[in-house]
Amino acid sequence: MSSDISIGFSSYSFHQRLSTGAMTLEDVIDWVAASAGEHLELAVLSDAADSPIPSLGWSDERLAALRAKAEAAGVPLSSLAVGADLSTGDAAQVERVQRYVDLAATLGITRMRHDVVPHGVVEGDDTVQFERVLPHIVAGAQEIAQYAAAKGITTSLENHGFFVQSADRVRRIIHAVGEPNFRTTLDVGNFVCVDADPLASVQENLPYAMTVHLKDFYIRPADAPVGAGWFSSRAGRKLRGAVLGCGDLDLRSIARAIRDAGFSGPVTIEFEGWEDCLLACERSLAAATDLLERN
């Protein structure tokens, strides 16, 4: 495996336990430190002060203690991922994300993903809607990227949330924003949510990748009988998160594409299935190491 690639985890992989209080973020850091994982991304799900992940409600003292904990454990905090909606042109949304840029700087994090639209399928013709909101997205992302550049932080959008999930829309936004520190958090699995070919989409967007999210999905036909835990792609196919290497994505070809492209940076395991998250993370790390070292 290239020494320029490091394999780690998103805190979202531990959401099962973080959300119930069965683990704290400090526990997660210790778990990653005891594993062969090399970094941890922080995925923010709430702005509340009692969030288990650093939020706008956390004090500077609490943030400093977390940074010290990660440094002492030898677990770099590789990225901060936050939700956002830039589609309306609301200045308050831009200001909110800029406050997360400040938070990232306090934690010593130099990479950040912010969403540009809410998660969900848009009513009506989403191509028409995309063209309508694109100027707002571009203006907001430019302002955030310029603010982040002064702090040495690279910002990004993810192929995430259906509306901006296809490879071409991600690239179009990146080029329109035109800031050198604005890139993409490239999720290898999310393309199936809009029924795009994952390998082709990954290859198209790798030149713009700041971070790679490595995940897997079970994929079933639209009329397949499924139980709880499944959701639908845009075309109706049934999807569910899987332990890495146990799902239906062609991860070996995707990993080869990542290596062949000369990607340099964090590869972040993002588990969102129903299996026990600690067992899933252990097995996913073994699979990721195999995929990136020997495929």
Side-chain angles (χ1 to χ4, degrees):
M1 180 171 58
S2 166
S3 61
D4 294 330
I5 291 178
S6 62
I7 303 175
F9 294 94
S10 168
S11 65
Y12 191 75
S13 297
F14 303 88
H15 177 63
Q16 287 175 359
R17 293 177 182 246
L18 286 169
S19 63
T20 64
M23 290 180 80
T24 65
L25 187 56
E26 289 78 7
D27 293 332
V28 169
I29 290 170
D30 286 336
W31 191 95
V32 175
S35 76
E38 298 173 277
H39 62 86
L40 180 66
E41 173 189 88
L42 303 179
V44 176
L45 302 180
S46 168
D47 289 346
D50 61 357
S51 167
I53 304 297
S55 75
L56 298 182
W58 280 36
S59 67
D60 288 343
E61 292 76 16
R62 193 177 177 193
L63 293 171
L66 178 64
R67 178 173 180 172
K69 168 70 177 180
E71 290 174 349
V75 179
L77 301 177
S78 57
S79 185
L80 182 69
V82 304
D85 179 12
L86 306 182
S87 66
T88 66
D90 182 3
Q93 278 287 321
V94 173
E95 292 168 4
R96 172 184 166 274
V97 177
Q98 288 174 334
R99 290 180 64 196
Y100 272 113
V101 172
D102 295 338
L103 188 153
T106 298
L107 289 171
I109 294 173
T110 60
R111 298 175 182 87
M112 182 173 162
R113 181 219 83 191
H114 63 80
D115 288 334
V116 295
V117 292
H119 192 281
V121 178
V122 174
E123 295 295 328
D125 186 329
D126 85 335
T127 299
V128 173
Q129 295 280 47
F130 178 74
E131 296 299 333
R132 181 179 63 81
V133 303
L134 181 60
H136 293 313
I137 291 172
V138 170
Q142 282 177 331
E143 190 171 347
I144 293 164
Q146 290 165 1
Y147 183 84
K151 298 177 180 291
I153 292 174
T154 298
T155 57
S156 67
L157 81 162
E158 186 174 345
N159 50 310
H160 187 237
F162 287 91
F163 192 45
V164 183
Q165 204 148 347
S166 62
D168 59 333
R169 288 190 178 177
V170 169
R171 292 197 310 278
R172 185 170 176 195
I173 292 171
I174 290 171
H175 286 298
V177 170
E179 297 293 336
N181 67 317
F182 182 69
R183 299 177 66 78
T184 184
T185 291
L186 174 55
D187 189 299
V188 307
N190 281 351
F191 295 111
V192 300
C193 299
V194 289
D195 305 287
D197 178 76
L199 176 58
S201 298
V202 166
Q203 290 171 324
E204 290 168 7
N205 279 15
L206 268 168
Y208 310 94
M210 173 194 78
T211 298
V212 170
H213 277 180
L214 200 57
K215 70 165 54 149
D216 208 347
F217 278 120
Y218 299 113
I219 306 172
R220 299 293 181 269
D223 58 356
V226 295
W230 295 77
F231 66 99
S232 295
S233 73
R234 180 173 286 167
R237 290 190 299 173
K238 301 300 190 297
L239 307 172
R240 198 183 87 180
V243 177
L244 203 68
C246 293
D248 297 309
L249 296 184
D250 181 6
L251 289 176
R252 197 155 294 281
S253 294
I254 289 170
R256 185 178 298 112
I258 292 169
R259 293 178 58 192
D260 289 349
F263 173 76
S264 174
V267 172
T268 302
I269 295 166
E270 188 177 42
F271 169 69
E272 42 187 59
W274 277 41
E275 295 85 353
D276 175 75
C277 66
L278 296 188
L279 179 61
C281 286
E282 179 182 336
R283 292 181 175 176
S284 292
L285 180 58
T289 301
D290 175 70
L291 286 164
L292 289 166
E293 283 189 345
R294 294 194 299 276
N295 82 309

